[in-house]
Every structure is written in C-alpha cells, then in structure tokens.
Amino acid sequence: MEITKICCIGAGYVGGPTMAVIAQKCPHIQVTVVDLNEERILAWNDKNTNNIPIYEPGLDTIVAEARGRNLFFSTEVDKAIDEAQIIFISVNTPTKTYGKGKGMAADLKYIELCARQIARVAKSDKIVVEKSTLPVRTAEAIKSILDSTGNGVQFQILSNPEFLAEGTAVQDLLNPDRILIGGDTTEEGQKAIQALVDVYSNWVSSEKILMTNVWSSELSKLTANAFLAQRISSINAMSELCEKTGADVNEVAKAIGMDSRIGAKFLKASVGFGGSCFQKDILNLVYIAKSYGLNEVADYWEQVIIMNDHQKRRFSNNIVQTLYNTVADKKITFLGWAFKKDTNDTRESAAIYVANDLINEHANIAVYDPKVSRKKILSDLDYLETRTSEENGKSIFTFGDPYLSCEKAHAIAVLTEWDEFVHYDWQKIYDGMQKPAFVFDGRNILNKTELEDIGFVYQAIGS
Ligand SMILES: NC(=O)c1ccc[n+]([C@@H]2O[C@H](COP(=O)([O-])OP(=O)(O)OC[C@H]3O[C@@H](n4cnc5c(N)ncnc54)[C@H](O)[C@@H]3O)[C@@H](O)[C@H]2O)c1
Ligand SMILES: O=c1ccn([C@@H]2O[C@H](COP(=O)(O)OP(=O)(O)O[C@H]3O[C@H](CO)[C@@H](O)[C@H](O)[C@H]3O)[C@@H](O)[C@H]2O)c(=O)[nH]1
C-alpha cells in the first residue's frame, strides 16, 4: 500500500516533533497533526517559528521547511481522520488522579476517546498506530472499540512507541537507536507493519527497524523507561553513600561506566529525575505487576520512585540544614525550573518539589529559567494543592535576568543543567549575595575549585 496521507492525533511534545520529522523526510506524504487544544494549534501555525509551543533545538527550522508544504496543524480532527491511511495516536496518558488505580495506573480516557472518534468517522480501512506510551495489552481494548462499529471498515492496530528524549528530540528522531513496531502475525497485520516500515525507511536504515508482536512492543517501552530511571536512582543512592564516606560520585560513575557491560550513559547523579515519563511509566508498570499479583516485581520497581522522592527531599532538607536550620524569609535563588536543559517542559521537574518544601519553610524563592514563564511556574506549584495560588504567588519571584535573580540571595540552588549557568560571571554573582554565599549544585555542573576560590560555600550531589 502506498501511503500518501498520515494523521496524528495530539500535537504535544511527541506528536509535534515526530510528525515534523516524518514530514521533512517524506515530502511525498501529507502529514496533518490535529489537537483539540486550539491555542496549541494556533501556536504551531504561528508565522514566526520561534513561537511554536515546544522548544526543542532545531525544531523551528524543520517546521519552517515542511509546514504548509506537507505538514499541517489543525483542529479539524474528523477531517484528518477521514482522509488518512495511517492514524498515529499521540495523546497524553497521565497517571490517574481519580478512581481505581488513582496515583498509579495510566489514565486511558483520552486514548479511548480517540478510538471512539476514529470508529465513528472512518469510512475506509485504516492503520491505527499507538504512539503514546500505553500499558501492555491496550491494543486489545482499542481493537475491541474499533471493531464494534459494524460499518465494515477494517482496522489494523500497531504499537510504535516513541523513545525520543526532550531536549534532543530532533536528533533522536533523525537518528534513532531503533524504531520498534509491534503488529499482528496475520497477513493483514504484516502488510500494515510493512506500510509503516516503508515510512521510516525514508531515513532509517533497515537494521534499526525492529518488528515484534504487539505486546512485546507495548511492554518494551515501559521497560526501557524503567531501566533508564533505575540507573539514575541507583547512582543517586550511591551519591548519598559517597557524601558519608568521602567518595566522589562523579569518580565512581566514571569508574563503573568504563565497564562496557555497564556503560557510561545515564549515570549522572542529580537532584532527582523529572519529566512527564519516568515516574508515570514506572507507576504504571508497578500497577500492572500488582494487578497480576506479582508483588515482588511491583515492589522492585517501586523502589526506583521511592529513591527519587528521597533524593529530591534530601536536597531541600540539606538546604535548610546548611542555612542554620532556617530559611524563613531568606531569598533562595533557583537557577533553572525545567526538568532538564534544552526544553521548556517542566512536568514533574525536581524544582517544583524542592520549591514546595522550601516554601513550607517560609523561604522566598527567586527563579530564573531561560525558557520557563512565571505563569508555568505558578501553575506547577498550584497543581500540588499545598497552599492557595495567592500564597504561591507571594513566595515566588521570577526574573528575566540571572544576575538580578541572584542579587541579595542567601543561597543559589542549581535545579537544571542549562549550559549558560556554567559560563556566568560567578565573581559578580558572589559580590551581590548575602554572606556566607551558598551554592547547592543539584546538577554537579559548576566548578567547585573556582567557586570556592571566589569564596562560595559550595555543595554538590555525592561528594
Ligand atoms: N514527552 C515525551 O518526551 C515523550 C516521549 C515518548 C513518549 N511519550 C508518550 O507520548 C504520549 C504523549 O505525550 P506528550 O508529552 O506529547 O503529551 P502532551 O500532553 O504534550 O500532548 C498530548 C496532546 O494530545 C491532545 N489531546 C488529548 N486528547 C485528545 C483528543 N481526544 N483529540 C485530539 N487531541 C487530544 C492534548 O490536547 C495535547 O496537546 C504519552 O503517552 C507519553 O507518555 C512522551
Ligand atoms: O544521568 C542522568 C540522566 C537523566 N537525568 C534526569 O532524568 C530526567 C529524564 O531525562 P531524559 O531521559 O533525558 O529525558 P526524557 O525526555 O524524560 O526522556 C525519557 O522519557 C521519554 C518518554 O518516555 C523516553 O522516550 C526517553 O527515551 C527517556 O529517556 C531528567 O530530569 C534528567 O535531568 C539524570 O538525573 N541523570
């Protein structure tokens, strides 16, 4: 089957960049990204590609090249579904905040709505691709909804999880480690797999395209995130032991990372991992394991989250303790609010939880982040429902200039590893601060010797 029209439901951090790259690499395919969120679609269509809703290095250039040619952003969901041969579902699958599985299971209501909408609208055969991260066996539920229409339309469901990391999304999409496609072993299933393989083959070599059954594909995504997050919690656990013993976690990470069986990546100790995926996907994995009665499996993975929560809490406790057991009315400057560098995404960022703890201790928090707005910071805190929006507003001070944000501060906490923080004039910052001037480096990016020579009291993670 020659694919000429693709539609993607969900113009978020996955749908937007993924479809932009498909459109760039497949000029013969019309790619339409649809979303219910009008504001988001308007921003994707903004004449100035600096204003697209997602900040990812290189994304604006790709959008500028393909948009209007074969890449379209629209709120006309029905029309796009009707026209497309392949429909990607890239909607959000957050942790449930209500009912059975609250706080653990993935909320599949948006997925189900998509399936029902496709079932209602489709008049010709479609390949439906799960791009969102989903619990293993979700394809079964989607299939059941799609096959109940009685209108004779044939649907093939594929699982094609996305492995991009934010901040490097464009590079990850252009040069993926692998493309995973799960589908049925039937002849129709194999044809559908081949149609999707043909799309990716426009820029990904065949040895990187892996085909499995649907359940393996769905579960591989949760497994990959669990393994990645586990490495961070493992090194963070060691960081605490390093602090007690005089070992240095950076040295330990380097030493173990040189073992080719362990590998050097994802061993950076930090204030704790954030982002919309790791916690959500591990909690989902834990829930699935429990639902099959696999309590040891569930407990094993839950420990990754417990360790991460401990790491965030340890960081805020240490700030309070070091500042003579009180931060009340003190100015603590946060450099960074995003969950990692090179993204404007703040979901589950460690900064939110550290700020929340310090506001409980009556600190004033000054924030500078090159890509995150005051509105976003306040909504992140409001979401925790620890106190009123008004109270949050009175505790948070945001700055567009990093030097101003540090003026008269009692302490600086580095929450995101933005490159620019390393290159600041730290002498100038020191001169403007209260003394002793403390720096708590939650990302281990600053030069300890240089800072101590200036006069800072410098504390990193794990040394
Ligand atoms: N963010 C990442 O880096 C990443 C990477 C890999 C996989 N994932 C997975 O991809 C999925 C999407 O994540 P995201 O970060 O892009 O989420 P997101 O919240 O940024 O985007 C989802 C979009 O879907 C839209 N939407 C929801 N229901 C809809 C409907 N019925 N019709 C039309 N639009 C609808 C929302 O308005 C939103 O704009 C999740 O399952 C996530 O786990 C995310
Ligand atoms: O050694 C490390 C590596 C990462 N982090 C932190 O871990 C979090 C997640 O980082 P990263 O994995 O790079 O970004 P995400 O965009 O969350 O990407 C993860 O989650 C995505 C969504 O499922 C997957 O597609 C990706 O493969 C997976 O890496 C961030 O807070 C990082 O600062 C560390 O603390 N130490």
Side-chain angles (χ1 to χ4, degrees), residues 185-240:
T185 47
T186 56
E187 197 188 328
E188 294 74 30
Q190 293 299 305
K191 272 193 201 154
I193 292 179
Q194 193 54 48
L196 190 55
V197 168
D198 290 346
V199 172
Y200 283 112
S201 296
N202 284 290
W203 79 99
V204 182
S205 59
S206 59
E207 66 272 17
K208 285 192 171 175
I209 304 181
L210 180 65
M211 287 161 265
T212 65
N213 79 32
V214 181
W215 320 129
S216 304
S217 173
E218 288 178 335
L219 190 56
S220 295
K221 174 63 195 179
L222 295 183
T223 309
N225 274 355
F227 270 62
L228 288 167
Q230 184 202 42
R231 284 174 71 93
I232 305 171
S233 277
S234 296
I235 200 70
N236 282 344
M238 288 306 161
S239 75
E240 191 170 13

Side-chain angles (χ1 to χ4, degrees), residues 162-166 221 225 228 232 266-268 270 273-274 277-278 281 339-340 417 443:
E162 183 48 60
F163 294 99
L164 70 80
E166 288 178 27
K221 174 63 195 179
N225 274 355
L228 288 167
I232 305 171
F266 257 70
L267 286 179
K268 208 152 175 19
S270 68
F273 61 75
C277 294
F278 283 169
D281 292 349
F339 82 95
K340 64 184 284 197
E417 73 282 23
R443 296 295 185 160

Side-chain angles (χ1 to χ4, degrees), residues 168-412:
T168 52
V170 170
Q171 277 319 310
D172 294 345
L173 288 164
L174 290 175
N175 192 16
D177 284 348
R178 79 312 211 170
I179 295 291
L180 177 58
I181 303 177
D184 272 359
T185 47
T186 56
E187 197 188 328
E188 294 74 30
Q190 293 299 305
K191 272 193 201 154
I193 292 179
Q194 193 54 48
L196 190 55
V197 168
D198 290 346
V199 172
Y200 283 112
S201 296
N202 284 290
W203 79 99
V204 182
S205 59
S206 59
E207 66 272 17
K208 285 192 171 175
I209 304 181
L210 180 65
M211 287 161 265
T212 65
N213 79 32
V214 181
W215 320 129
S216 304
S217 173
E218 288 178 335
L219 190 56
S220 295
K221 174 63 195 179
L222 295 183
T223 309
N225 274 355
F227 270 62
L228 288 167
Q230 184 202 42
R231 284 174 71 93
I232 305 171
S233 277
S234 296
I235 200 70
N236 282 344
M238 288 306 161
S239 75
E240 191 170 13
L241 194 54
C242 285
E243 288 166 25
K244 297 282 182 230
T245 56
D248 178 332
V249 78
N250 300 314
E251 293 177 352
V252 172
K254 185 161 188 193
I256 64 164
M258 285 171 77
D259 185 325
S260 60
R261 294 168 303 174
I262 296 175
K265 291 180 182 168
F266 257 70
L267 286 179
K268 208 152 175 19
S270 68
V271 54
F273 61 75
S276 64
C277 294
F278 283 169
Q279 174 166 307
K280 158 179 85 75
D281 292 349
I282 294 174
L283 290 173
N284 186 9
L285 190 66
V286 170
Y287 183 77
I288 294 168
K290 277 195 183 147
S291 72
Y292 286 105
L294 308 179
N295 293 327
E296 290 77 8
V297 178
D299 291 349
Y300 177 76
W301 288 112
E302 191 164 19
Q303 202 58 37
V304 173
I305 302 292
I306 293 171
M307 190 63 226
N308 196 50
D309 288 341
H310 172 66
Q311 189 75 350
K312 291 181 272 188
R313 180 60 45 80
R314 207 162 78 71
F315 188 77
S316 47
N317 282 347
N318 181 46
I319 294 179
V320 177
Q321 210 182 341
T322 308
L323 296 185
Y324 316 104
N325 288 313
T326 176
V327 288
D329 302 323
K330 290 181 180 169
K331 176 176 175 180
I332 316 286
T333 298
F334 278 25
L335 291 181
W337 189 269
F339 82 95
K340 64 184 284 197
K341 73 171 178 178
D342 292 339
T343 178
N344 59 352
D345 196 350
T346 63
R347 289 177 287 181
E348 289 301 328
S349 179
I352 306 168
Y353 297 92
V354 176
N356 190 51
D357 286 349
L358 295 178
I359 297 172
N360 279 343
E361 295 289 335
H362 295 184
N364 296 319
I365 310 291
V367 187
Y368 168 78
D369 186 293
K371 292 288 173 196
V372 181
S373 66
R374 175 177 177 82
K375 191 173 155 210
K376 189 86 217 18
I377 293 168
L378 291 178
S379 86
D380 287 338
L381 279 168
D382 289 349
Y383 188 76
L384 297 184
E385 295 183 348
T386 312
R387 58 191 79 74
T388 64
S389 306
E390 200 190 347
E391 285 164 333
N392 280 327
K394 282 186 185 154
S395 303
I396 292 282
F397 303 82
T398 46
F399 293 82
D401 178 294
Y403 294 96
L404 280 181
S405 76
C406 296
E407 218 151 83
K408 297 208 167 55
H410 292 80
I412 292 172

